[in-house]
Amino acid sequence: SSSINIQLSSRMWHQWIEQIQQGDTRALARAISLAENETAGLIEALAKTSIPQKPVIGITGPPGAGKSTLTDALIGALIQNGKSVAVLCVDPSSPFHQGAVLGDRIRMSEWYTHPNVYIRSLATRGALGGLHPRILEITDLVKCFTADWILIETVGVGQSEVEVAGLADRTVVVLVPEAGDEIQTMKAGLLEIADLFVVNKSDRPDADRFRSHLERMMQEDRSHGSITPIINAIATEKKGIEEILTHLNELLRAPSQLHRNRMLLLEKAKHLLREQWLRKLDGGKMKESLDRAMQSPQFNLYAWVKDYAD
């Protein structure tokens, strides 16, 4: 019976995907909601769908760096260049009720009704990497849509924002001159994932000193084999935006790094396998088992997880 349900759900998903391919924004919105709610059959439908290759740009960085303002400015530049854009904004969510303050729609209100822009906010739903747990599937649904570019703005949560690199073709790390101390704690992850650094709010004091500091750090760490470009920007004034777009186009045209692409695919595969395994777990049974175990004075979470997994 469950396989029949999956077949029926898969057929339903195919209908949604066909409508998305025709540029139906309502179908895309509905499909994303179904994906968020873990409606069965999506994996099976995507397995039979030819998903087009489109540029996926990840925009990440610490809180307060101005990621949403920069994303807003990039949308404007892309529209001026005759491109259509789909934007996924991932907001922090409460671990208790899974809700989120979906403020990006307000910040990007200029584009909310634009015919060539699709904006969707997603809550992280407790996922640790600053991304939604269904982000891979949702991104592939958006790739089926008629948009030319896909921008994904993630929650800035320090080291775990590295997860966005497993999803995006190119990753923009947004920083501000005051991030000097923060950057030391995020050093390894940021240097590895950034294809492009943007020093936003670069009209502030210490911007030049911060940029020099960043350049020094990259010279010490040659993991990329080449120095990652750094662009000074003032997103609120649209300064540096065209330069960012020019660099992104160059990066997208550059020969793909086979090793990096394989690593990204491996990360995506691990993510999907992990999600498939988690879906098989019965949340109700887990809660009952955990409640029973917690009644013991010797309760140990690690021991319970090990027993439950076995």
Side-chain angles (χ1 to χ4, degrees):
S1 126
S2 69
S3 68
I4 292 169
N5 285 341
I6 286 174
Q7 283 173 3
L8 289 170
S9 299
S10 183
R11 203 172 304 149
M12 175 201 75
W13 275 112
H14 278 299
Q15 290 170 358
W16 286 115
I17 290 168
E18 278 176 21
Q19 290 171 358
I20 290 165
Q21 288 166 333
Q22 290 159 16
D24 188 332
T25 52
R26 286 185 181 180
L28 179 58
R30 179 78 178 121
I32 291 174
S33 295
L34 290 169
E36 282 190 285
N37 294 326
E38 302 182 31
T39 304
L42 175 57
I43 298 285
E44 290 73 19
L46 286 172
K48 295 175 183 173
T49 302
S50 178
I51 298 164
Q53 290 301 308
K54 292 184 180 178
V56 178
I57 307 299
I59 299 168
T60 190
K67 295 184 292 293
S68 295
T69 312
L70 185 81
T71 304
D72 179 73
L74 278 172
I75 296 168
L78 285 164
I79 293 297
Q80 279 188 329
N81 291 339
K83 303 292 183 187
S84 54
V85 194
V87 186
L88 295 174
C89 306
V90 190
D91 287 275
S93 59
S94 160
F96 301 105
H97 56 73
Q98 309 281 284
V101 184
L102 303 175
D104 295 290
R105 291 184 183 177
I106 299 160
R107 289 194 286 275
M108 297 176 195
S109 56
E110 181 186 349
W111 308 112
Y112 188 47
T113 55
H114 197 286
N116 293 331
V117 180
Y118 177 84
I119 297 174
R120 175 67 179 245
S121 289
L122 305 168
T124 57
R125 299 197 173 195
L128 295 177
L131 295 174
H132 189 279
R134 299 276 97 73
I135 192 71
L136 274 180
E137 298 95 310
I138 290 169
T139 303
D140 282 335
L141 283 172
V142 177
K143 280 185 182 177
C144 295
F145 187 56
T146 48
D148 301 313
W149 284 59
I150 300 166
L151 306 180
I152 300 178
E153 183 207 322
T154 75
V155 179
V157 285
Q159 194 73 299
S160 54
E161 65 201 3
V162 170
E163 195 177 293
V164 75
L167 177 73
D169 297 312
R170 295 292 180 262
T171 303
V172 178
V173 174
V174 188
L175 300 165
V176 281
E178 298 87 347
D181 294 333
E182 279 184 36
I183 202 171
Q184 291 297 344
T185 60
M186 296 187 287
K187 181 175 175 179
L190 281 171
L191 289 178
E192 283 167 21
I193 69 165
D195 294 295
L196 185 65
F197 281 110
V198 173
V199 180
N200 193 24
K201 308 178 186 180
S202 59
D203 53 338
R204 291 187 178 181
D206 293 336
D208 292 337
R209 194 172 68 171
F210 175 73
R211 183 182 173 126
S212 302
H213 175 50
L214 192 54
E215 285 169 347
R216 267 199 316 278
M217 282 173 59
M218 282 189 292
Q219 281 163 357
E220 289 167 14
D221 180 289
R222 293 288 187 135
S223 58
H224 265 314
S226 60
I227 297 293
T228 307
I230 304 171
I231 296 172
N232 283 24
I234 308 170
T236 51
E237 298 174 17
K238 312 285 192 283
K239 288 182 180 174
I241 304 303
E242 280 298 335
E243 195 184 344
I244 292 168
L245 210 48
T246 301
H247 268 68
L248 284 174
N249 276 310
E250 285 172 6
L251 286 164
L252 289 164
R253 279 196 300 269
S256 61
Q257 300 170 2
L258 192 60
H259 174 71
R260 183 175 190 256
N261 286 358
R262 281 179 177 165
M263 291 303 293
L264 295 186
L265 268 178
L266 181 63
E267 286 306 308
K268 288 179 184 179
K270 285 197 286 192
H271 175 90
L272 288 171
L273 285 167
R274 193 160 50 239
E275 291 301 320
Q276 288 278 60
W277 181 77
L278 285 170
R279 269 179 219 144
K280 290 175 184 174
L281 292 176
D282 186 321
K285 283 183 182 173
M286 275 180 71
K287 186 176 182 302
E288 284 173 21
S289 172
L290 188 60
D291 285 347
R292 282 196 303 273
M294 284 173 69
Q295 288 167 17
S296 164
Q298 285 82 38
F299 170 71
N300 179 296
L301 181 62
Y302 298 98
W304 176 83
V305 168
K306 187 177 181 303
D307 290 343
Y308 197 86
D310 293 342

